[in-house]
Amino acid sequence: AAPPPSAPGEPAPPPQPQPLQYSLLLQHLVGDKRQPRVWDPATLGGIPCPPKSEEQKMVERVMESCPFKAALACVGGFVLGGAFGIFTAGIDTNVGFDPKDPYRTPTAKEVLKDMGQRGISYAKNFAIVGAMFSCTECMVESYRGKSDWKNSVISGCITGGAIGFRAGLKAGVIGCGGFAAFSAAVDYYLR
């Protein structure tokens, strides 16, 4: 219905709002007039995060670098290997054993000395393997530009092969396959 004409000199009545058409609404919601929304976690109820400072960005770059990851794996491997070496020496019945006198009971000092030697030996080996694996995985990931299970399998093969090649070609191939399979299994269960 059209509004009644106004008399001359009277102000014009306010325009009546047009009824909302469903097709116009759809064009703005899902059609070509839809405006893309910028994702903002604060609008979804998340915790708003201030922008990162240059110092924070620098610390993140250092912590994501290959040398830092290798050093961290080296330290972690040293601690884990030392604990594993001390544990295995603690349950080994031959610690402090003297082949010249098999009936002699070893002293606490001899047992602790053997435990320390085995702990240091395991710690060094675990540290070297951890650093090699972490460094090669980081380099493979940087080269491929992807972070998936293939990185750990490739770096496991490289690490196992490098360790095994000291004993020959056959041992290197077996080390490559074994370490790659172990890396794949660990990566499968951790992801």
Side-chain angles (χ1 to χ4, degrees):
S6 59
E10 285 186 25
Q16 296 292 325
Q18 294 292 325
L20 186 61
Q21 295 179 1
Y22 186 68
S23 61
L24 290 176
L25 181 64
L26 279 177
Q27 285 181 356
H28 286 283
L29 291 176
V30 293
D32 53 354
K33 292 185 180 178
R34 178 176 172 250
Q35 297 292 323
R37 292 178 46 164
V38 178
W39 186 77
D40 184 15
T43 60
L44 301 175
I47 300 171
C49 297
K52 295 180 181 174
S53 67
E54 288 301 316
E55 291 84 15
Q56 289 173 325
K57 291 177 184 177
M58 182 185 69
V59 168
E60 281 184 358
R61 281 192 300 268
V62 167
M63 291 181 75
E64 291 175 1
S65 68
C66 292
F68 182 80
K69 288 180 180 180
L72 191 65
C74 184
V75 171
F78 189 84
V79 171
L80 183 68
F84 188 70
I86 290 171
F87 173 75
T88 57
I91 60 173
D92 188 5
T93 57
N94 290 330
V95 171
F97 177 74
D98 186 11
K100 295 176 186 171
D101 188 10
Y103 297 108
R104 187 181 67 83
T105 304
T107 64
K109 184 177 182 180
E110 292 171 338
V111 171
L112 289 175
K113 181 180 176 186
D114 281 353
M115 288 174 73
Q117 288 174 344
R118 188 178 295 187
I120 291 294
S121 174
Y122 276 53
K124 288 190 291 188
N125 291 335
F126 274 55
I128 290 169
V129 170
M132 282 177 64
F133 179 80
S134 179
C135 190
T136 55
E137 184 179 31
C138 185
M139 289 191 300
V140 167
E141 183 178 327
S142 297
Y143 178 76
R144 290 185 66 230
K146 296 178 184 177
S147 179
D148 58 5
W149 62 273
K150 293 178 185 176
N151 295 340
S152 60
V153 171
I154 293 169
S155 58
C157 180
I158 293 170
T159 303
I163 292 170
F165 275 132
R166 295 185 305 179
L169 181 63
K170 184 177 178 182
V173 171
I174 292 172
C176 171
F179 213 106
F182 179 73
S183 300
V186 168
D187 196 69
Y188 175 77
Y189 286 110
L190 288 181
R191 288 190 190 224

